[in-house]
Amino acid sequence: MSDLTEVSYAREILAGAVQQVRLDRGEPSGVAGWVLAIAEGLAKADGGHAAYATCFCPNWDLLSQWNGYGDRGAGFAIGFDRSILYQCANSQGYSLGPLIYEPAEQEAHLAKCLDELINEIVPDLMHRDTSNVEMGLLLVLGLTIAMLLVKNFRFSAEAEWRLMNQTMSPATSPLEKDYVNLWHPTTGEAAITEVVVGPTVHSDQVALMRDLLDRKRLRHVIVRRSELVLRR
């Protein structure tokens, strides 16, 4: 993540979730104690994580998005069919989901993840004779992915969704997969449905974008201009 404040915020929520699970379980030992100790260490860790996600907003013409991510209106917004994008992501080991903005729901989300690790995932890995080092790496990876769904409520107007790598194999790093095929795995349909040209882009760029999409077998994709008035 490029914004380290998101990481520190998610760590605070994770620390609260760890405390809640500890209270619910008394003084946990064994698997529970081990999982919570690792989660507590992750919540207190310094620096950032090598976590990467692609972010989406359901509002195709939001002023804050053009200002923050669209070169102050000089860029383009790409629209996707959520159902097709979900199928594309799921078939390639990625997950797609909405962010959680309410602090109480965020803590409950991470507490649920901790309970699943304690009750199901780690015991299953132990049954498979997975080493402690591998289990620790998988645990940190799983919690990091769960933390990516947490964001400060001050950004709730964006109603953001995220596409994240959910590979849980220690032999496959998320860094080894840097793109997602955006064609439906069975029907061949493209996930891209439209391109919105920014409010400060010259009108000639609309025709150029249309030509580019046609040459890329994307004739079905709609091209339209932003409806906002944005002064640079």
Side-chain angles (χ1 to χ4, degrees):
M1 303 298 294
S2 59
D3 184 357
L4 292 183
T5 62
E6 288 196 35
V7 177
S8 60
Y9 177 82
R11 284 197 187 116
E12 292 177 7
I13 301 299
L14 178 61
V18 170
Q19 183 178 12
Q20 184 59 54
V21 174
R22 283 192 186 280
L23 289 173
D24 292 343
R25 291 177 177 266
E27 286 296 327
S29 59
V31 171
W34 182 72
V35 168
L36 293 178
I38 291 179
E40 195 168 41
L42 180 61
K44 295 178 179 179
D46 294 325
H49 297 293
Y52 297 84
T54 301
C55 306
F56 302 89
C57 176
N59 189 329
W60 61 273
D61 206 14
L62 191 63
L63 182 60
S64 63
Q65 296 293 300
W66 286 118
N67 278 327
Y69 308 104
D71 193 19
R72 290 193 54 79
F76 301 85
I78 303 175
F80 298 88
D81 180 296
R82 185 182 297 171
S83 176
I84 297 177
L85 183 61
Y86 175 83
Q87 294 295 330
C88 293
N90 193 55
S91 67
Q92 297 171 72
Y94 288 76
S95 61
L96 175 69
L99 298 197
I100 305 168
Y101 294 97
E102 174 57 44
E105 294 179 10
Q106 293 170 344
E107 187 171 307
H109 158 69
L110 292 178
K112 180 181 178 182
C113 291
L114 289 169
D115 282 331
E116 289 177 350
L117 285 166
I118 293 169
N119 297 331
E120 302 173 25
I121 297 175
V122 171
D124 180 64
L125 290 172
M126 294 175 67
H127 182 72
R128 298 167 184 262
D129 293 327
T130 308
S131 71
N132 287 341
V133 172
E134 290 178 341
M135 282 193 293
L137 290 173
L138 291 172
L139 194 155
V140 170
L141 174 59
L143 286 174
T144 299
I145 292 170
M147 290 164 66
L148 285 175
L149 289 177
V150 168
K151 192 167 184 176
N152 194 301
F153 72 92
R154 293 181 178 86
F155 297 94
S156 59
E158 297 176 355
E160 186 178 326
W161 283 59
R162 281 184 178 165
L163 178 68
M164 304 160 292
N165 185 286
Q166 61 179 3
T167 301
M168 293 297 287
S169 168
T172 305
S173 165
L175 302 180
E176 294 175 3
K177 301 178 66 178
D178 56 359
Y179 65 92
V180 175
N181 188 325
L182 295 176
W183 301 88
H184 193 285
T186 55
T187 67
E189 295 175 273
I192 299 175
T193 58
E194 67 177 342
V195 175
V196 182
V197 180
T200 63
V201 175
H202 193 277
S203 57
D204 290 350
Q205 296 296 316
V206 176
L208 291 174
M209 177 57 68
R210 177 73 273 162
D211 179 66
L212 173 64
L213 292 168
D214 290 347
R215 287 188 284 111
K216 295 295 183 179
R217 298 187 296 120
L218 295 169
R219 292 182 175 83
H220 69 283
V221 175
I222 298 169
V223 181
R224 54 177 164 172
R225 286 194 68 90
S226 165
E227 297 176 358
L228 295 175
V229 177
L230 183 62
R231 296 177 178 84
R232 300 197 70 179

